[in-house]
Amino acid sequence: MNSGTALAEEHTFPGPVYDRAPSGTRPPRPSLIRRALDWVPVQDFLAAHIGFSRRFNQSVSRLAAKGGQAVPAARAHFHFADALLLQIDPKTVEMRLRDNFLEAGSLRWVGTHFLDGGDWSHLLVPVEKSSSHAEIIELCRTRQNFRKGKRYRHYARRITEGETIWRNRIGIDTHDKLDGYFEYYLALIEDIEKNGILPHSDLGLRDQTGYRHRWTRTFWQDLAERDIGIAIDAEGHLVRHTNGKHRMAAALALDIKRVPVEIRLVHARWLARRAEQLGLSPAEALLATIEEARATGWPAK
């Protein structure tokens, strides 16, 4: 097999192609039953402790060959727990996964499952293309003079013209609210500059930003906040995923060398190859790779 054929096969993924979702669209809200199960996740907790490793290993093999998603994120979180946590150099994360995508015409949220075997190429974008990233970079530069920043002035002009700016799922329709939004994240930046980014188990986000301008984030967002989310793509690269976009941007802008992250999504193609390289089951290979990365950094050798 020549190198061109090998490369083509490497980047040919089974199953439906993931397409970029239209801007501003969100998946439908889950049913009341689904939300109740999420709040009291007895089924996920039991599934995470009874026969989990066998099902996990089988899912990796199936997804690597056929595509699709498997293993609800909550079950992986319950099973692996703190083993998914590690410290990384934020400069190793150059891309991010879009939160929402289209699969065979259906709108999906990217955070539902822990394992995936699909083609992420349409969902990956550079971290600096994120609006949240740009806001934090600008704030790190302007600080208390944030009203002079290009992005602030753009938002202020839109509000003057009668538009509502949606950030963190909250509408900002006055200049006072816009100021409060920027002041909230300025407080986060100043705390990170002083204390670094601590694991979420050690210091909740509420403590990092104080009690001012709490309306800029919903109570549910604070409750669900976790360490910076990371995915491992099909090539073994770290990709920003779900939580932590503002903290990751601040770490990059402030040149912080190490940040705590949590592995939330793993591409089955990479994990199947890694398991073969190490001569371990996929579950064992994932844990061994993360443990090695704690000592040597990512990528693990």
Side-chain angles (χ1 to χ4, degrees):
M1 181 183 296
N2 61 42
S3 59
T5 302
L7 184 62
E9 288 191 3
E10 179 72 20
H11 293 282
T12 300
F13 294 86
V17 174
Y18 299 160
D19 290 318
R20 182 180 301 184
S23 177
T25 58
R26 297 185 182 280
R29 290 175 62 84
S31 67
L32 288 174
I33 293 176
R34 180 66 262 173
R35 278 185 278 174
L37 290 173
D38 288 343
W39 274 110
V40 187
V42 175
Q43 182 181 7
D44 287 332
F45 182 82
L46 292 175
H49 294 87
I50 302 173
F52 178 89
S53 295
R54 174 181 54 80
R55 294 193 304 274
F56 183 89
N57 295 333
Q58 291 173 345
S59 295
V60 170
S61 299
R62 185 180 76 254
L63 268 55
K66 298 182 179 181
Q69 302 95 30
V71 184
R75 296 183 188 180
H77 177 70
F78 282 134
H79 180 83
F80 293 115
D82 291 349
L84 297 175
L85 304 176
L86 72 158
Q87 298 264 347
I88 65 166
D89 180 349
K91 290 187 176 67
T92 62
V93 182
E94 299 179 352
M95 306 294 285
R96 69 180 180 93
L97 269 174
R98 293 179 176 274
D99 288 343
N100 303 312
F101 66 97
L102 292 172
E103 180 185 10
S106 296
L107 190 61
R108 304 280 301 275
W109 179 56
V110 75
T112 59
H113 291 82
F114 186 79
L115 291 175
D116 189 281
D119 184 352
W120 297 0
S121 58
H122 294 168
L123 310 183
L124 289 169
V125 292
V127 293
E128 63 264 22
K129 298 297 183 181
S130 161
S131 295
S132 301
H133 182 91
E135 290 165 5
I136 296 298
I137 298 300
E138 180 172 290
L139 262 173
C140 285
R141 178 175 53 82
T142 59
R143 301 299 176 107
Q144 297 294 341
N145 296 320
F146 59 81
R147 294 176 188 84
K148 296 181 179 180
K150 179 179 179 181
R151 187 159 292 270
Y152 176 93
R153 289 186 284 110
H154 173 68
Y155 291 159
R157 183 170 60 252
R158 290 173 58 186
I159 290 171
T160 298
E161 294 171 353
E163 290 188 55
T164 297
I165 309 299
W166 289 93
R167 310 301 294 145
N168 294 334
R169 301 184 183 180
I170 292 176
I172 301 175
D173 55 5
T174 69
H175 291 93
D176 284 344
K177 289 182 180 179
L178 182 62
D179 285 358
Y181 175 80
F182 275 76
E183 287 168 354
Y184 173 87
Y185 284 107
L186 179 58
L188 176 63
I189 289 167
E190 291 173 344
D191 185 89
I192 289 174
E193 190 169 40
K194 179 181 178 181
N195 301 309
I197 299 179
L198 300 179
H200 193 257
S201 58
D202 292 348
L203 182 65
L205 194 61
R206 178 179 294 274
D207 296 317
Q208 290 182 289
T209 56
Y211 290 85
R212 297 182 61 201
H213 309 298
R214 293 309 308 170
W215 61 266
T216 60
R217 286 168 53 92
T218 68
F219 168 79
W220 304 111
Q221 285 176 306
D222 277 344
L223 190 65
E225 193 66 62
R226 289 158 62 181
D227 286 301
I228 296 168
I230 292 293
I232 304 174
D233 73 9
E235 303 303 318
H237 301 135
L238 299 184
V239 177
R240 204 197 74 205
H241 172 55
T242 58
N243 297 73
K245 56 180 73 72
H246 297 98
R247 283 168 285 167
M248 180 65 82
L252 290 167
L254 298 172
D255 197 29
I256 293 175
K257 304 302 184 183
R258 306 288 286 176
V259 298
V261 300
E262 179 184 9
I263 304 298
R264 302 265 182 78
L265 178 66
V266 176
H267 202 287
R269 282 277 189 95
W270 169 80
L271 187 50
R273 291 198 309 272
R274 187 66 176 160
E276 184 176 359
Q277 290 169 358
L278 298 178
L280 299 172
S281 71
E284 293 169 335
L286 176 62
L287 296 178
T289 301
I290 294 174
E291 185 63 30
E292 184 177 353
R294 290 195 183 103
T296 63
W298 200 275
K301 304 302 182 183

